[in-house]
């Protein structure tokens, strides 16, 4: 069973609302990119109150937190329709306390690995995570080329834990889909492939 999460990377609330409007009724859940301009060289809306006032139209949202010091901010991001938070392994010093923190606020935790971050950084924690997210690009921008070296990490994690949901973010398209699914990915996050398509609904179903 493959799930597709439309990925929303926008710089103002109005543009996020337009993306929500475009996929409401088509999907149940979206992936929202949050960037602080520090962990990545780009910024998006980094304002939980503003995001919470959007008209989410019943959609759940998985927050992709591309921010430094996530442990200081996750409480502010625990909005009512947040279905999970994804934190980057590269910025976590103490995985155990992060896992406890998310458990305490009752939010499922996904851990993202940048293309060059090895899978052993996350393997000790697989039983405590809702999913692992493999980045197919360096985080920061949409519409970059997919780094096929990461397929090996997906295969390895799939072997380590056959029931683990594995998300992929960055460079997901019709071209990369087959290899991703074959390697073991179960959640495909896609931004430009969907939102730049002539027909978003057709692109989603494909
Ligand atoms: C990159 C973001 C991705 C991005 C994906 O830093 O985390 O979610 O929006 O964009 P595409 O699908 O165009 O590679
Ligand atoms: Zn993302």
């Amino acid at each position: 069973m493959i799930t597709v999460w439309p990925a929303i990377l926008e710089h103002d609330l109005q543009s996020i609302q337009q993306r929500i409007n475009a996929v409401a009724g088509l999907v149940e859940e979206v992936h929202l990119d949050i960037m602080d301009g520090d962990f990545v060289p780009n910024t998006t809306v980094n304002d939980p109150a503003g995001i919470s006032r959007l008209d989410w139209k019943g959609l759940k949202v998985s927050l992709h937190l591309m921010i430094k010091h996530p442990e200081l901010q996750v409480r502010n991001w625990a909005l009512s329709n947040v279905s999970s938070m994804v934190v980057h392994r590269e910025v976590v010093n103490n995985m155990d306390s992060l896992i406890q923190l998310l458990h305490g606020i009752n939010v499922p935790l996904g851990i993202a690995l940048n293309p060059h971050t090895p899978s052993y950084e996350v393997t000790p924690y697989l039983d405590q995570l809702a999913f692992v997210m493999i980045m197919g690009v360096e985080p920061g921008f949409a519409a970059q080329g997919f780094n096929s070296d990461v397929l090996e990490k997906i295969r390895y994690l799939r072997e380590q834990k056959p029931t683990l949901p594995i998300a992929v973010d960055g460079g997901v398209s019709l071209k990369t889909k087959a290899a991703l699914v074959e390697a073991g990915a179960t959640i495909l996050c896609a931004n430009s492939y969907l939102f730049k398509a002539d027909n978003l609904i057709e692109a989603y179903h494909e």
Side-chain angles (χ1 to χ4, degrees):
M1 178 69 187
I2 305 298
T3 306
V4 175
W5 286 348
I8 301 176
L9 191 175
E10 296 297 333
H11 306 283
D12 59 84
L13 290 168
Q14 202 189 341
S15 305
I16 297 176
Q17 186 66 60
Q18 283 168 4
R19 293 303 199 215
I20 293 170
N21 298 349
V23 297
L26 182 65
V27 298
E28 288 177 9
E29 191 162 6
V30 298
H31 164 111
L32 180 65
D33 289 316
I34 309 292
M35 304 182 176
D36 65 356
D38 192 4
F39 175 58
V40 288
N42 196 1
T43 49
T44 62
V45 179
N46 192 358
D47 164 22
I51 300 273
S52 77
R53 284 194 298 269
L54 291 168
D55 177 6
W56 281 95
K57 299 182 179 292
L59 288 172
K60 292 183 284 178
V61 59
S62 173
L63 296 175
H64 181 190
L65 299 173
M66 287 164 274
I67 57 177
K68 285 222 177 121
H69 311 298
E71 64 283 352
L72 301 180
Q73 296 194 48
V74 291
R75 282 177 198 284
N76 300 335
W77 279 109
L79 314 174
S80 60
N81 65 328
V82 167
S83 49
S84 61
M85 291 186 196
V86 183
V87 173
H88 272 262
R89 181 67 183 94
E90 297 80 16
V91 295
V92 182
N93 297 321
N94 188 328
M95 279 291 291
D96 292 318
S97 59
L98 179 79
I99 288 167
Q100 272 188 19
L101 175 59
L102 273 284
H103 191 76
I105 58 173
N106 220 352
V107 175
L109 172 64
I111 290 289
L113 301 180
N114 280 349
H116 298 287
T117 304
S119 24
Y120 63 71
E121 292 283 2
V122 81
T123 38
Y125 311 101
L126 295 184
D127 287 339
Q128 291 147 279
L129 300 177
F131 59 95
V132 172
M133 194 168 86
I134 299 298
M135 296 303 297
V137 302
E138 292 298 330
F141 300 91
Q144 308 179 65
F146 177 74
N147 179 343
S148 54
D149 293 349
V150 309
L151 290 169
E152 202 45 54
K153 280 197 284 195
I154 300 173
R155 263 182 227 118
Y156 177 77
L157 289 167
R158 173 56 61 236
E159 260 170 44
Q160 293 300 301
K161 187 166 179 190
T163 58
L164 176 74
I166 301 177
V168 181
D169 185 29
V172 171
S173 71
L174 216 50
K175 277 193 211 131
T176 53
K177 176 193 85 169
L180 291 168
V181 171
E182 183 267 330
T186 54
I187 302 169
L188 306 177
C189 306
N191 181 345
S192 30
Y193 166 68
L194 291 176
F195 291 112
K196 297 261 189 278
D198 292 335
N199 185 326
L200 190 158
I201 298 175
E202 266 174 29
Y204 170 79
H205 287 295
E206 279 188 287

